[in-house]
Amino acid sequence: VCRQNLEHLASARLEMNAVRKMSEGVHMMLSILCDTTVTLDPDGKFKGSCRSFASMMLSSRAKLEEGLAGIDFTAFLCESDVQRFLTFLKTSSSRAQASTDVDEDTSSSSSRTSTEMSRSSNQTSSILVNLVDSAGLKIGVELYHIPVPDPYSSEALP
């Protein structure tokens, strides 16, 4: 039983390493294709410094050391778009969760491959909103939301 648990843990770690590499590759590709990319926590606050977004917005809110980490993304939205954006996030996250639940229910094994995990989180959706830069100018953008599990969280491994 102990050996089986160790084998399962080793397999899970290898799988999470594959997910991490895939996540890093996707982020690298998006940073080439998009003006900027950001990662938000479940509360809609920036994770990490997001310096490219701060530069694009000419933000003085980004402290040199911390960048935008912990600042609410909606602080950069036009007031009339905030509620619509929050509804969009909730809807697209719910849709991704429903897809994940269906995948888990129909999975014949207890461990899912990185391909299966990426398929279940591949619920891309977009919304047109206006951001407001530090000068008060509106910038029309199309935001893409791709809910993905955090491969670096402690909850990712059994």
Side-chain angles (χ1 to χ4, degrees):
V1 175
C2 185
R3 179 182 175 153
Q4 191 176 27
N5 286 341
L6 287 174
E7 288 174 356
H8 179 70
L9 183 59
S11 174
R13 287 187 185 274
L14 287 172
E15 192 65 37
M16 286 314 302
N17 282 335
V19 170
R20 287 179 182 136
K21 287 183 183 198
M22 182 175 48
S23 177
E24 290 166 2
V26 168
H27 190 295
M28 184 184 300
M29 184 181 69
L30 287 174
S31 67
I32 293 168
L33 297 173
C34 301
D35 293 325
T36 186
T37 63
V38 300
T39 303
L40 304 177
D41 70 12
D43 297 323
K45 296 183 182 348
F46 289 98
K47 287 178 75 173
S49 65
C50 303
R51 293 193 198 292
S52 64
F53 181 81
S55 295
M56 183 178 90
M57 301 305 293
L58 306 171
S59 178
S60 60
R61 298 176 197 172
K63 299 175 187 163
L64 187 59
E65 310 83 42
E66 299 168 14
L68 295 174
I71 294 176
D72 196 328
F73 178 78
T74 60
F76 292 94
L77 286 173
C78 180
E79 256 184 72
S80 60
D81 287 334
V82 171
Q83 191 55 50
R84 202 166 53 87
F85 172 75
L86 294 173
T87 301
F88 162 75
L89 276 184
K90 184 177 180 182
T91 302
S92 61
S93 294
S94 296
R95 190 173 42 232
Q97 182 60 46
S99 173
T100 301
D101 291 345
V102 168
D103 287 348
E104 287 174 358
D105 289 344
T106 59
S107 177
S108 62
S109 71
S110 60
S111 70
R112 298 167 61 206
T113 66
S114 58
T115 304
E116 290 169 327
M117 291 170 84
S118 67
R119 245 187 248 133
S120 68
S121 63
N122 190 17
Q123 301 296 318
T124 307
S125 52
S126 67
I127 185 173
L128 298 172
V129 296
N130 288 299
L131 300 175
V132 180
D133 72 7
S134 63
L137 300 174
K138 290 183 182 179
I139 304 168
V141 297
E142 183 172 10
L143 299 179
Y144 291 90
H145 180 240
I146 305 169
V148 293
D150 184 356
Y152 295 99
S153 81
S154 59
E155 296 172 7
L157 288 176

